[in-house]
Amino acid sequence: MPAEIRGDLPRHPNNIEPAWLTGRLRDRGILTEGQITSVRVEMGEKWNAAYTARLLLDCHPPKSTGAPESLFVKIRDSEDPYADSFPGEFAFFKEQLEAQAQSEALPLPRCLGLFKDETSPLTCLLLEDYGASHEQPPWPLPASLPQCEAAVVALAKLHGHWWTTDLAETFLAGVDLARRRDDLAQQFERLLENFLAFVGDRLAPERRDIMRAVCARLPALLWQRLTSGLPLTRIHGDPHSWNILFPKDPSRHGCIFIDWEDWQIQPGPFDLAYMVAYHWFPERRARYEEPLLRLYHRALCDEISEPYRWQQLRDDYRLGALHNFVVPWFVLDMGIAPEGWWYHLEQLFASFEDLGCAEFL
């Protein structure tokens, strides 16, 4: 069930017609009889140029075989300004559709359709709706400890599935990594200078110096790690608690990771560093950080065949914490308001100190 190139894609969730949706679900073998008669749209947030919405569907006859009661749709109608940094969600789900049998066993949303416009950047992604079986913590509360434990085990399953020491098996195949390093250096420098100009004297001089030191050293550190021959995997890139659907009944369902816009090839613990070190206050991190890392290590080792030493995991986690510094630079560049990143700076600098990340510099 590959991605489909079409010339009739809706440009907004409100433009989705029952007949169009009926045809697409029939094409995919999901709707085997009857038809969609109405589509009610519950708009979500527009994020990184993508419209999101929940579609509530009526069918005739009401018990049509395979007819879903609702769907989740994501429509992107413009070029991705960060396409050089992240392959993006269309590429991610295109590959998952081509490996559907393997993907169904992973903690991923079920893709019901993936479409691209013939002549423009417009894409449309149809996903199963999990509103009845899953939930998310209320913003800005972090997930509970049991939820975090479940998420860490699910991450280990994902990372283990894509675990490799062979760059030829990843999207980095054929990439000039030295050039990538130099391009990252230029990009990071631009983003940081814009960030520092924006925050002005709200950031202490010593913290500005730390950010500049990170900016100067990080591209080479990433290049060294990518070319070291040590294991890499596909990471989510943005696995905060609101990009994870947590099961209402853990005895029946597992976690599901959504929003794969920022996936990339990196060491697996980078996802944990973002989830924990970037988002948690020091007190919570002091209680749960190491137990969660240990849990991840055990779960990952159950998924992979070659050994992955605990010390290597710790080193990768610390490098991931250093990599977190680029997050506020990027999100400001994306136009995200300060409430989306300002309070994370305290967690960022606290984890930098607690984890001894200055050693990298």
Side-chain angles (χ1 to χ4, degrees):
M1 189 166 60
E4 187 175 343
I5 308 299
R6 301 188 63 87
D8 60 348
L9 297 189
R11 305 197 69 88
H12 189 278
N14 288 329
N15 300 141
I16 295 177
E17 297 290 341
W20 183 87
L21 191 56
T22 296
R24 303 296 70 74
L25 295 180
R26 283 180 177 167
D27 292 343
R28 299 296 178 182
I30 296 166
L31 184 63
T32 57
E33 65 177 44
Q35 60 185 349
I36 308 296
T37 56
S38 71
V39 179
R40 289 165 289 156
V41 179
E42 293 183 352
M43 287 298 301
E45 293 185 15
K46 185 178 182 182
W47 187 255
N48 194 18
Y51 298 101
T52 64
R54 186 171 182 240
L55 307 180
L56 305 178
L57 311 179
D58 290 320
C59 299
H60 181 78
K63 300 298 183 181
S64 299
T65 303
E69 295 182 356
S70 59
L71 295 175
F72 183 83
V73 64
K74 194 169 187 177
I75 295 177
R76 186 183 190 92
D77 64 352
S78 62
E79 295 282 2
D80 185 353
Y82 302 102
D84 291 340
S85 301
F86 309 105
E89 198 161 31
F90 185 88
F92 179 84
F93 279 104
K94 180 176 183 292
E95 183 178 295
Q96 298 314 302
L97 281 175
E98 292 168 353
Q100 186 75 42
Q102 297 180 25
S103 300
E104 288 178 352
L106 297 175
L108 299 172
R110 181 187 176 207
C111 184
L112 304 180
L114 182 64
F115 312 100
K116 191 176 190 313
D117 187 65
E118 294 174 329
T119 60
S120 76
L122 179 66
T123 60
C124 178
L125 173 63
L126 299 176
L127 298 172
E128 187 168 334
D129 177 37
Y130 295 90
S133 59
H134 289 70
E135 61 187 357
Q136 294 164 298
W139 178 272
L141 294 180
S144 68
L145 180 59
Q147 289 176 324
C148 291
E149 291 171 338
V152 161
V153 171
L155 261 185
K157 188 174 186 66
L158 285 169
H159 292 166
H161 178 72
W162 294 307
W163 199 255
T164 183
T165 56
D166 185 359
L167 288 181
E169 294 183 3
T170 74
F171 269 74
L172 294 174
V175 173
D176 184 339
L177 292 178
R179 180 174 180 179
R180 181 182 176 90
R181 173 196 60 198
D182 296 339
D183 290 346
L184 276 180
Q186 295 179 18
Q187 183 184 43
F188 287 174
E189 184 176 356
R190 176 186 66 82
L191 293 172
L192 175 59
E193 291 310 313
N194 289 343
F195 180 84
L196 293 179
F198 183 86
V199 299
D201 62 7
R202 299 175 184 88
L203 199 63
E206 56 269 25
R207 289 189 166 185
R208 297 167 72 92
D209 291 343
I210 290 173
M211 283 196 167
R212 287 201 168 99
V214 171
C215 181
R217 188 78 180 102
L218 186 58
L221 289 169
L222 295 175
W223 179 79
Q224 291 169 8
R225 180 59 180 83
L226 287 173
T227 58
S228 66
L230 293 168
L232 299 166
T233 189
R234 185 174 310 199
I235 67 168
H236 182 279
D238 192 22
H240 53 68
S241 294
W242 306 279
N243 273 341
I244 307 170
L245 303 179
F246 295 99
K248 296 177 181 179
D249 182 354
S251 68
R252 298 181 58 198
H253 305 287
C255 294
I256 298 173
F257 284 80
I258 60 173
D259 193 3
W260 286 85
E261 290 284 358
D262 298 335
W263 73 271
Q264 52 193 291
I265 304 299
Q266 294 286 7
F270 276 34
D271 268 345
L272 291 171
Y274 180 80
M275 180 189 296
V276 174
Y278 184 73
H279 283 90
W280 287 10
F281 291 118
E283 180 274 333
R284 180 176 174 83
R285 187 163 48 78
R287 283 185 288 149
Y288 300 138
E289 184 175 50
E290 180 160 337
L292 287 175
L293 289 179
R294 294 281 184 183
L295 176 61
Y296 171 83
H297 188 229
R298 293 192 299 271
L300 179 65
C301 288
D302 288 341
E303 299 288 335
I304 61 178
S305 56
E306 64 272 20
Y308 183 55
R309 295 182 298 108
W310 166 251
Q311 187 56 52
Q312 185 60 55
L313 185 152
R314 288 285 303 176
D315 290 344
D316 286 340
Y317 181 79
R318 293 168 64 234
L319 182 58
L322 196 70
H323 187 254
N324 285 341
F325 272 91
V326 308
V327 176
W329 311 345
F330 262 104
V331 295
L332 175 64
D333 191 64
M334 291 169 60
I336 306 301
E339 59 262 30
W341 50 264
W342 174 251
Y343 296 103
H344 291 296
L345 296 185
E346 291 304 315
Q347 290 97 304
L348 188 64
F349 283 103
S351 63
F352 175 85
E353 181 176 346
D354 295 342
L355 296 170
C357 294
E359 294 176 11
F360 287 109
L361 308 181

